């Protein structure tokens, strides 16, 4: 049994992506093989430098640098729709970080395939962005799915969306990509809006994170999160910390409950586009294709976050 989990993290930083990326970098159990970047929350011209800056911010002599790869600046069909109201025009709420290094000169989907091909043991793919990079990698070399341990996605909702009444942001931004990933034949864990709503970052929780004797990374993460509007969906009580929930699943699955169920994606052109039709009660008779994360121990989650990020520089 191995004590580390080899991971490729696909992201679109993104305020909550920042927390997820730093949590992954702070966790010795996660062997972060690569960070791949897509557009989404803001354009790739911002998400890429944001990812590079966050990786550099967490850099330390004892930790080998994690390669960052630029990926899709658009979905398989159409274009991404940014969400600057939540992430700011720069993607990190206007919090200026020291610039990071250069991206590794290889397209994200190629890098994912290369890493999977060479992997000594199966790799976990974590997707916290529109799933375009993951879909391009898996669809263009299907046999490589055998080198994928599992896929953990922050995506979808069984009820109301946050991008449209029907669809969650990542799912809506590339529903075809999500459908490809769901159909790749490897175990998929789905972390939906209903789960992430339980990771509600209230002002009190943010204040508690701040008091920890952390370094520049914890301070930056809190400064970034402090720019995120308190959500109308939660009566202004806080903002859901979506993306780090996907990393937390890997680190502390005991903080979650889950059930297997069938999920399909609405690929139509209408108002339901991007909706994830999540059959929690087996009404369709379709075989389960995801493990749906349903409940979260929120206090345990925020403790995990604070205890991890305080370890970073
Ligand atoms: O709906 C939330 C998801 O969309 C998160 O991944 C957030 O970063 C945005 O990308
Ligand atoms: Ca994201």
């Amino acid at each position: 049994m191995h004590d580390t989990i080899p991971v490729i993290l696909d992201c679109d930083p993104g305020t909550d992506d920042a927390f997820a990326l730093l949590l992954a970098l702070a966790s010795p159990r996660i062997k972060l093989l690569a960070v791949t970047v897509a557009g989404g929350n803001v354009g790739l011209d911002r998400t890429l430098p944001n990812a590079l800056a966050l990786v550099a911010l967490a850099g330390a002599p004892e930790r080998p640098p994690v390669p960052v790869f630029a990926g899709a600046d658009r979905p398989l069909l159409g274009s991404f729709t940014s969400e600057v109201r939540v992430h700011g025009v720069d993607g990190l709420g206007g919090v200026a970080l020291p610039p990071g290094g250069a991206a590794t000169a290889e397209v994200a989907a190629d890098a994912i395939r290369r890493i999977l091909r060479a992997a000594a043991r199966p790799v976990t793919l974590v997707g916290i962005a529109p799933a375009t990079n993951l879909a391009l990698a898996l669809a263009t070399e299907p046999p490589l799915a055998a080198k994928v341990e599992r896929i953990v996605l922050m995506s979808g909702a069984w009820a109301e969306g946050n991008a449209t009444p029907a669809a969650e942001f990542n799912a809506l931004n590339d529903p075809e990509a999500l459908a490809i990933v769901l159909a790749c034949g490897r175990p998929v864990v789905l972390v939906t809006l209903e789960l992430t709503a339980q990771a509600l970052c209230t002002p009190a929780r943010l204040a508690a994170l701040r008091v920890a004797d952390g370094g520049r990374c914890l301070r930056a993460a809190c400064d970034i999160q402090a720019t995120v509007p308190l959500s109308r969906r939660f009566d202004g009580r806080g903002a859901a910390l979506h993306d780090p929930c996907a990393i937390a699943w890997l680190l502390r699955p005991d903080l979650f409950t889950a059930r297997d169920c069938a999920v399909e994606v609405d690929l139509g052109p209408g108002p339901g586009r991007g909706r994830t039709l999540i059959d929690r009660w087996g009404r369709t008779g379709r075989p389960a294709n995801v493990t749906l994360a349903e409940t979260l121990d929120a206090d345990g989650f925020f403790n995990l976050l604070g205890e991890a990020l305080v370890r970073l520089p």
Side-chain angles (χ1 to χ4, degrees):
M1 189 64 182
H2 300 277
D3 56 0
T4 60
I5 307 168
V7 170
I8 295 174
L9 176 61
D10 189 62
C11 58
D12 61 333
T15 53
D16 57 324
D17 301 69
F19 256 113
L21 182 49
L22 292 173
L23 177 58
L25 290 164
S27 304
R29 283 204 50 229
I30 289 185
K31 183 176 173 46
L32 194 53
L33 302 176
V35 173
T36 55
V37 188
N41 288 320
V42 290
L44 183 66
D45 63 321
R46 291 304 324 157
T47 57
L48 179 60
N50 290 344
L52 288 162
L54 288 160
V55 167
L57 196 69
E62 72 273 12
R63 231 194 324 273
V66 177
V68 179
F69 300 89
D73 66 356
R74 71 203 68 183
L76 298 179
L77 298 174
S79 54
F80 290 134
T81 306
S82 295
E83 181 46 273
V84 297
R85 292 167 299 180
V86 173
H87 303 278
V89 292
D90 69 327
L92 295 179
V95 173
L97 301 181
T104 302
E106 185 177 12
V107 170
D110 296 343
I112 294 168
R113 285 198 300 270
R114 173 179 53 80
I115 293 166
L116 289 179
R117 232 177 273 123
R121 57 192 172 103
V123 176
T124 292
L125 305 180
V126 178
I128 56 174
T132 317
N133 292 331
L134 300 181
L136 286 169
L138 292 168
T140 46
E141 200 167 340
L144 281 179
K147 300 297 284 298
V148 174
E149 175 74 22
R150 68 193 140 175
I151 304 169
V152 185
L153 297 177
M154 193 281 128
S155 187
W158 67 62
E160 191 179 13
N162 63 347
T164 69
E168 178 276 330
F169 180 89
N170 288 334
L172 178 66
N173 264 287
D174 201 336
E176 281 76 16
L178 176 58
I180 288 169
V181 173
L182 290 177
C184 79
R186 298 306 295 147
V188 175
V189 177
L190 202 58
V191 176
T192 67
L193 291 179
E194 288 79 11
L195 189 284
T196 64
Q198 300 167 63
L200 191 68
C201 192
T202 62
R205 280 181 167 147
L206 187 55
L209 282 173
R210 277 195 186 283
V211 300
D213 182 23
R216 63 181 187 245
C217 291
L218 181 57
R219 282 196 304 275
C222 291
D223 290 347
I224 291 165
Q225 186 60 28
T227 71
V228 176
L230 302 180
S231 173
R232 296 177 294 163
R233 291 173 60 222
F234 309 109
D235 305 318
R237 289 180 293 110
L241 251 185
H242 305 288
D243 291 340
C245 293
I247 301 294
W249 172 276
L250 299 181
L251 296 168
R252 288 285 309 277
D254 61 296
L255 295 178
F256 298 77
T257 66
R259 77 172 75 184
D260 292 345
C261 58
V263 176
E264 59 182 309
V265 190
D266 184 334
L267 302 179
R273 180 166 172 77
R275 182 173 184 183
T276 45
L277 300 152
I278 300 178
D279 184 7
R280 295 171 68 227
W281 305 107
R283 301 189 199 286
T284 65
R286 296 165 64 94
N289 57 342
V290 309
T291 295
L292 177 72
E294 285 196 313
T295 68
L296 173 70
D297 172 345
D299 290 338
F301 169 75
F302 281 95
N303 290 339
L304 169 68
L305 215 45
E307 288 158 9
L309 267 64
V310 80
R311 293 196 293 262
L312 288 173

